């Protein structure tokens, strides 16, 4: 089986014009709430608003966006040189963590704000902050902005989905040979992720240097496939097993997913029945994902298809989640999320059937919402019908 690499598209990392538009929207939202500004501490939010990609550790990094004035990027001293190239911000440097004054408290003092919104906060910092300023609003003002993507963000998602597909195509093509030679789940994972990551870096590594770019994946088989988050192991897949592989890819920080269930050998009637039900579940999610629908209702419509196939007891998770700068982010296609679907939102679509001690199944598509349809940039499932999702030994 020949594995064909995606066509390289002329895209670049999101630039300062995009970051400035995000900061302007944050200013507008803060002003509407009578605040002086917004302090972003979530690494994804900091990247979203200024493009600073950094190693996350115990030392907090924050971006303060005032309603009036220049944004300020707060970093520890050891990040000074990494932060200096960031455009559109002034730098504030603290010496070290934890410090005599906690860095977040120091950031708020440096902001000179009386009323401030903070997207995330250690509860232990709330009391000292309340003694320093008039109002601390614990609200993520960046999250609603991140829900709805620009066309440039969607382009990065589309490309990421193609390389997630490439990883699955490699697995599908090579798994039979690897398993026949005694290969394990770990061997399968190493081969397909290494292949896809090499292609991603070859095609986009130079243009996207310094941004988040990579492949994450899992492979688990047989009874271990009944574990929704089963870890890849040294187990050798056996004839008759189901083999689940879920692939995530990020390009320029933007995530997409693709995933499948393959059968080692011939597909049994029961395996086919489950796979058909999962395809109906996938299709029900796509059909329900319309602008104006509530996220909770999309989840219900999709999982009803599994319940109709008498597989309700094998459901272990929601149908999907938002994707963007994080692989899992709000909104959630899940019970309790009343967010209304809007054009340019991005979601995963993950039918799953898990029967402990027996087998497990999951497929994954990436879904982009448009006013009148749902775009599926992940193509492995569409291009590989159920009867072809086999690994011959």
């Amino acid at each position: 089986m020949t594995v064909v690499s995606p066509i390289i598209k002329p895209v670049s990392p999101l630039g300062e014009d995009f970051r400035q538009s995000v900061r302007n929207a944050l200013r507008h939202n803060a002003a509407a709430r009578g605040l002086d500004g917004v302090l972003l501490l979530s690494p994804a939010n900091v990247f979203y608003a200024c493009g600073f990609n950094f190693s996350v550790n115990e030392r907090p990094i924050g971006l303060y966006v005032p309603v009036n004035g220049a944004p300020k990027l707060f970093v520890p001293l050891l990040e000074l040189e990494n932060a200096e190239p960031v455009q559109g911000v002034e730098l504030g440097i603290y010496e070290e963590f934890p410090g005599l004054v906690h860095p977040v408290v120091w950031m708020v003092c440096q902001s000179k704000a009386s009323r401030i919104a903070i997207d995330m906060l250690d509860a232990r910092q709330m009391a000292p902050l309340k003694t320093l300023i008039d109002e601390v609003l614990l609200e993520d003002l960046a999250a609603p902005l991140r829900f709805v993507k620009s066309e440039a963000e969607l382009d990065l998602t589309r490309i990421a989905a193609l390389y997630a597909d490439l990883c699955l195509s490699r697995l599908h093509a090579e798994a039979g040979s690897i398993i026949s030679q005694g290969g394990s789940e770990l061997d399968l994972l190493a081969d397909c992720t290494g292949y896809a990551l090499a292609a991603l870096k070859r095609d986009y590594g130079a243009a996207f240097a310094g941004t988040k770019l990579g492949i994450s994946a899992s492979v688990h088989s047989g009874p271990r496939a009944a574990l929704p988050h089963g870890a890849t192991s040294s187990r050798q897949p056996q004839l008759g097993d189901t083999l689940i592989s879920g692939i995530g890819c990020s390009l320029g920080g933007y995530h997409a997913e693709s995933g499948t269930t393959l059968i080692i050998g011939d597909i049994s009637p029961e395996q086919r029945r489950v796979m058909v039900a999962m395809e109906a579940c996938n299709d029900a999610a796509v059909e329900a994902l319309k602008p104006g629908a509530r996220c909770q209702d999309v989840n219900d419509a999709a999982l009803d298809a599994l319940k109709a196939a008498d597989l309700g007891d094998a459901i272990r998770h929601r149908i999907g989640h938002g994707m963007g700068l994080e692989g899992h982010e709000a909104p959630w296609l899940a019970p309790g999320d009343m967010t209304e679907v809007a054009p340019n939102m991005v979601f995963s679509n993950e039918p799953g059937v898990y029967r402990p001690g027996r087998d497990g199944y999951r497929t994954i598509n990436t879904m982009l919402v448009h006013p009148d349809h749902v775009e599926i940039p992940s193509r492995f499932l569409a291009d590989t019908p159920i009867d072809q999702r086999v690994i011959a030994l």
Side-chain angles (χ1 to χ4, degrees):
M1 182 186 298
T2 301
V3 179
V4 180
S5 290
I7 296 172
I8 303 173
K9 298 182 179 180
V11 294
S12 301
L14 300 178
E16 176 56 16
D17 287 347
F18 174 83
R19 310 298 176 191
Q20 184 64 54
S21 71
V22 170
R23 296 195 294 268
N24 287 340
L26 288 168
R27 289 188 176 98
H28 175 81
N29 291 347
R33 289 165 171 78
L35 302 170
D36 297 316
V38 181
L39 178 61
L40 302 176
L41 297 173
S42 157
N45 282 345
V46 172
F47 179 77
Y48 182 57
C50 74
F52 183 39
N53 184 37
F54 55 92
S55 174
V56 178
N57 55 59
E58 71 279 5
R59 302 173 181 91
I61 287 175
L63 177 70
Y64 177 64
V65 182
V67 170
N68 297 298
K72 199 155 198 175
L73 178 62
F74 298 114
V75 302
L77 180 60
L78 86 170
E79 291 284 4
L80 172 60
E81 288 76 15
N82 292 328
E84 283 179 330
V86 177
Q87 295 179 300
V89 302
E90 297 177 354
L91 291 183
I93 309 299
Y94 67 89
E95 185 174 319
E96 187 50 283
F97 175 87
L100 297 177
V101 177
H102 191 281
V104 172
V105 176
W106 175 82
M107 291 176 198
V108 173
C109 290
Q110 292 292 305
S111 76
K112 296 181 170 47
S114 295
R115 294 177 172 83
I116 192 170
I118 304 179
D119 57 351
M120 57 184 289
L121 188 66
D122 186 323
R124 291 170 292 185
Q125 307 313 319
M126 180 59 80
L129 289 178
K130 283 185 174 180
T131 68
L132 295 172
I133 60 177
D134 295 335
E135 181 182 358
V136 177
L137 175 64
L138 288 179
E139 183 177 347
D140 186 349
L141 299 187
L145 304 177
R146 287 173 52 190
F147 289 175
V148 178
K149 275 65 174 178
S150 67
E151 191 59 33
E153 292 172 287
L154 293 181
D155 276 345
L156 296 178
T157 304
R158 291 182 179 104
I159 296 170
L162 297 178
Y163 286 83
D165 282 342
L166 181 66
C167 193
L168 288 181
S169 296
R170 173 72 177 192
L171 175 67
H172 191 212
E174 298 297 327
S177 174
I178 293 171
I179 294 169
S180 295
Q181 296 175 54
S184 68
E185 295 171 358
L186 288 168
D187 295 319
L188 295 172
L189 182 68
D191 178 79
C192 66
T193 56
Y195 182 88
L197 182 59
L200 181 64
K201 288 182 175 180
R202 177 196 66 210
D203 297 341
Y204 293 98
F208 284 82
T211 70
K212 189 174 181 181
L213 178 150
I215 300 286
S216 60
S218 65
V219 174
H220 48 297
S221 62
R224 294 179 50 76
L227 306 174
H229 280 172
T232 305
S233 74
S234 58
R235 180 183 187 274
Q236 181 182 5
Q238 303 296 311
L239 196 65
D241 280 354
T242 58
L243 183 147
I244 293 176
S245 182
I247 313 297
C249 177
S250 60
L251 176 65
Y254 284 84
H255 291 76
E257 294 182 359
S258 188
T260 192
T261 299
L262 303 173
I263 307 299
I264 314 298
D266 295 332
I267 302 175
S268 73
E270 173 61 10
Q271 288 170 335
R272 184 185 305 278
R273 182 185 79 84
V274 175
M275 294 170 81
V276 168
M278 290 176 58
E279 193 167 86
C281 178
N282 174 90
D283 294 348
V286 172
E287 177 62 27
L289 194 69
K290 299 179 185 299
R294 298 187 306 179
C295 287
Q296 172 178 275
D297 297 337
V298 177
N299 178 74
D300 291 345
L303 298 187
D304 280 348
L306 290 181
K307 295 173 184 177
D310 198 28
L311 292 168
D313 290 343
I315 297 172
R316 290 295 185 91
H317 57 69
R318 64 196 173 212
I319 191 60
H321 54 78
M323 286 188 288
L325 290 173
E326 296 172 287
H328 286 211
E329 64 182 38
W332 314 101
L333 299 180
D337 195 325
M338 304 302 175
T339 304
E340 288 192 1
V341 175
N344 287 29
M345 286 185 172
V346 179
F347 294 98
S348 71
N349 185 353
E350 303 186 34
V353 169
Y354 308 98
R355 302 188 289 195
R358 182 176 180 181
D359 58 12
Y361 305 75
R362 184 169 66 248
T363 60
I364 311 175
N365 267 324
T366 297
M367 303 186 291
L368 313 185
V369 182
H370 292 277
D372 57 356
H373 72 286
V374 174
E375 176 187 353
I376 312 292
S378 49
R379 302 308 304 165
F380 182 87
L381 295 175
D383 294 342
T384 314
I386 288 173
D387 286 341
Q388 295 178 25
R389 295 177 202 167
V390 296
I391 298 172
L393 298 183

